[in-house]
Amino acid sequence: AGACAPEQLLAKLAQVGMGATVRALPDGLATTLAENGSNFSVGERQLLCFARAMLQPRPIMMLDEATSNLDSASDDAMQTLLRSEFRDLTLLTIAHRLQTIIDYDSIVVLGKGKLLERDAPSVLLAKEGGVLRGLADALGEAAAEDLRAKAGKGLK
């Protein structure tokens, strides 16, 4: 992660849930990351990438199913972290789980390479015959209501 202090790196690793894992390695922070990170699980690699992004902030961050290989508890923790650590940047997220993006400021729904709809999640969920509403309703009544309750809170 560049020229940051070991304490700073360990603090970010702890924030993403990797602090204990890295400290338990025989060489700790000096552990060599194998090609493609193969000495870590896919989920651990994703967490390491989040820590690196926290150490090297940029004005725009793009995520492509960034938490797809995390268990639900780790995914929830990462979503909370995204909403706190990255709240001042533009966050573009490709997601297939509605829960991941339902409190974003704006959602773009694509299908077969075409723009199907774009607006605030609460607006799209209320749109009769809308694509996002249909996706939410397909999850079942309880899940759709949960999404409606979380929509509109915004990533501010």
Side-chain angles (χ1 to χ4, degrees):
C4 70
E7 303 78 34
Q8 185 183 19
L9 180 54
L10 282 171
K12 295 303 179 192
L13 288 168
Q15 273 187 281
V16 300
M18 285 293 292
T21 301
V22 171
R23 279 193 293 279
L25 295 169
D27 295 325
L29 283 177
T31 299
T32 300
L33 194 61
E35 185 173 338
N36 297 318
S38 63
N39 51 336
F40 290 95
S41 73
V42 175
E44 288 172 331
R45 282 181 263 172
Q46 287 176 304
L47 295 172
L48 291 170
C49 287
F50 275 112
R52 182 177 60 201
M54 291 167 56
L55 288 165
Q56 300 172 335
R58 303 286 190 258
I60 298 174
M61 186 159 122
M62 181 171 233
L63 304 171
D64 184 358
E65 288 294 325
T67 60
S68 61
N69 287 304
L70 300 179
D71 60 75
S72 62
S74 296
D75 182 39
D76 289 345
M78 288 314 310
Q79 295 304 328
T80 299
L81 194 63
L82 278 171
R83 283 148 180 80
S84 62
E85 291 295 314
F86 302 106
R87 72 177 169 271
D88 295 328
L89 56 80
T90 299
L91 185 62
L92 302 172
T93 303
I94 297 168
H96 293 91
R97 290 183 286 195
L98 298 181
Q99 198 72 12
T100 301
I101 45 98
I102 203 62
D103 63 341
Y104 278 30
D105 296 327
S106 181
I107 294 178
V108 174
V109 182
L110 303 172
K112 296 183 181 179
K114 299 201 183 303
L115 173 67
L116 301 178
E117 56 189 16
R118 179 198 172 277
D119 214 323
S122 58
V123 172
L124 294 177
L125 288 171
K127 183 178 175 185
E128 194 68 40
V131 178
L132 187 68
R133 180 175 178 166
L135 292 170
D137 289 345
L139 296 174
E141 190 174 328
E145 282 306 311
D146 184 53
L147 289 171
R148 285 182 185 86
K150 291 179 179 169
K153 292 184 180 179
L155 259 180
K156 302 220 178 348

